[in-house]
Amino acid sequence: MAKKTNKKVQRAPRGPRVTRADIVMPKDSGKTAAELKADSEKAKPTQGPVKRSLPRSAIYVAEEAFQWRGGPKQDRWERENHIYTLAKDLRNQKAPLTRLLVWQVGKRFYVIDGHHRLGAYDTAKWKKDIPVEVFTGTLDQARLRAIAGNVRDKLRMTPGQKSAAAWRITKENIGNLTADEVAEHTTISRRTAFAMKQVWKELNARTDLSDEQREKLPTITWKAARDLREGIEPDADFDADTWKEKKAEEVAELIRRHNAEIGLLADIEIAAMALRMLSERLPEALIEEWAGDYPELITELAARITNPPPDLEF
């Protein structure tokens, strides 16, 4: 009969925990779409088998070309929280995440879809090669694929970001898309997509624009374009959109600093009640403010309230 032993099973030591202080946002290369196009035209044709994994040093980020959410300050808390969650999964499971989708330019591979996953690898200090899928289409096709990934990603783009993306696609004529196709790629309304096409066409056809106005057309915002079309002169010393965005960032940062976002996001019903307690007028004002960004949802809710199912009472 074998003797029993009191030896304990030795477990592999765990690595250090991932904390929020460890969160790393991938560094941007600063490459623009125009620069990537020029680089790709100069690059030699690739040879050998298609890459299925890459060392971190070969993977680059080009925010201007492939990140449709805006700069790193846009949705910063949500983006960092998403990276944090993915990084914890990496540490706990010790298995790679879903493959990054990348576009090759010479020896560099630029992330099309998977910016947050790349941030998670950096945050978790991943040492192994990173699984990838190499996209073989054109730059325009890669950029449209990037927005498709952002629209359906778990961390969804806001309506404002989708609108900005649609306007950018329209201005740059990425993929030579029709208005219907722009709406399909960005999920904005067809009406807005057609309006963008019409406004952009009219502005470029106008002969009364000053040289300065014409020079600014490539970077003009959707709101500024509509104002220009209607003849509304902007204040040269004041950019309302920039001012509002800055103030909104200050309020968001104040909420984050006091960890209030945890309570707001934990239970939407309780959050709605809390906002009403701040001001009885606030819910109505928010609905009015967001109605233009969520027209389909507003229409659906109105229909649901007007004609509720038989088993649902309001």
Side-chain angles (χ1 to χ4, degrees):
M1 184 175 178
K3 293 183 178 180
K4 292 183 178 180
T5 62
N6 293 324
K7 288 185 178 180
K8 293 183 178 180
V9 177
Q10 294 292 323
R11 294 183 179 179
R14 288 187 177 184
R17 289 177 55 193
V18 175
T19 68
R20 292 190 180 276
D22 299 322
I23 296 173
V24 177
M25 296 287 282
K27 184 179 179 181
D28 184 22
S29 67
K31 287 282 186 179
T32 65
E35 290 171 336
L36 288 179
K37 183 177 181 180
D39 290 347
S40 67
E41 291 171 351
K42 295 176 185 176
K44 296 179 180 179
T46 56
Q47 297 179 346
V50 176
K51 300 286 187 181
R52 297 289 290 170
S53 63
L54 293 167
R56 176 63 181 87
S57 59
I59 303 174
Y60 290 78
V61 170
E63 292 258 354
E64 192 274 343
F66 298 118
Q67 181 53 277
W68 293 92
R69 296 179 185 280
K73 290 185 178 180
Q74 293 288 330
D75 298 334
R76 190 180 72 181
W77 187 88
E78 289 83 358
R79 294 174 70 176
E80 289 184 350
N81 193 55
H82 194 36
I83 289 173
Y84 175 63
T85 300
L86 293 172
K88 286 197 300 181
D89 289 343
L90 267 175
R91 280 284 179 87
N92 294 336
Q93 298 175 10
K94 295 181 173 57
L97 303 169
T98 304
R99 295 180 184 278
L100 307 182
L101 184 63
V102 297
W103 190 64
Q104 185 174 6
V105 181
K107 295 183 179 180
R108 293 188 171 196
F109 295 80
Y110 290 88
V111 178
I112 297 174
D113 185 22
H115 292 82
H116 298 107
R117 276 167 275 158
L118 183 62
Y121 283 116
D122 291 345
T123 299
K125 297 179 174 58
W126 186 262
K127 301 299 183 184
K128 301 176 183 178
D129 282 1
I130 297 174
V132 300
E133 176 187 347
V134 180
F135 185 78
T136 57
T138 65
L139 175 59
D140 278 359
Q141 290 170 338
R143 297 183 72 193
L144 293 175
R145 180 67 178 272
I147 192 172
N150 274 279
V151 167
R152 68 171 183 268
D153 189 69
K154 289 181 181 178
L155 185 58
R156 295 185 181 276
M157 294 172 69
T158 65
Q161 289 169 337
K162 292 177 183 178
S163 178
W167 178 236
R168 188 171 162 193
I169 290 172
T170 300
K171 289 189 299 179
E172 298 181 28
N173 195 28
I174 299 174
N176 196 28
L177 302 184
T178 64
D180 276 328
E181 289 170 331
V182 171
E184 181 181 349
H185 274 81
T186 60
T187 70
I188 67 168
S189 69
R190 291 178 67 254
R191 180 179 179 181
T192 301
F194 275 95
M196 287 180 174
K197 286 278 188 181
Q198 185 62 33
V199 169
W200 185 240
K201 181 180 179 180
E202 289 182 15
L203 290 181
N204 279 278
R206 281 176 56 171
T207 58
D208 60 331
L209 297 182
S210 67
D211 291 341
E212 183 181 2
Q213 287 174 320
R214 193 161 294 281
E215 286 177 4
K216 290 182 177 179
L217 281 184
T219 58
I220 194 171
T221 64
W222 171 224
K223 181 182 182 304
R226 285 176 289 167
D227 288 346
L228 181 59
R229 182 199 193 193
E230 299 300 325
I232 301 173
E233 290 292 335
D235 187 337
D237 298 322
F238 179 72
D239 186 334
D241 288 341
T242 301
W243 180 84
K244 289 178 182 178
E245 183 176 345
K246 182 179 179 181
K247 287 298 180 183
E249 287 177 357
E250 290 175 0
V251 173
E253 186 59 35
L254 182 64
I255 292 173
R256 295 185 191 110
R257 196 159 54 238
H258 292 278
N259 291 325
E261 80 280 354
I262 296 175
L264 287 173
L265 299 177
D267 190 306
I268 297 301
E269 184 177 0
I270 293 175
M273 293 173 65
L275 292 175
R276 186 182 292 113
M277 289 176 183
L278 290 176
S279 169
E280 287 290 337
R281 172 77 177 89
L282 188 55
E284 181 182 346
L286 290 175
I287 291 172
E288 290 178 0
E289 177 64 27
W290 290 332
D293 290 331
Y294 298 88
E296 292 85 0
L297 177 59
I298 296 295
T299 302
E300 180 186 337
L301 289 175
R304 196 186 306 169
I305 293 171
T306 305
N307 302 297
D311 59 341
L312 183 63
E313 295 182 0
F314 287 93

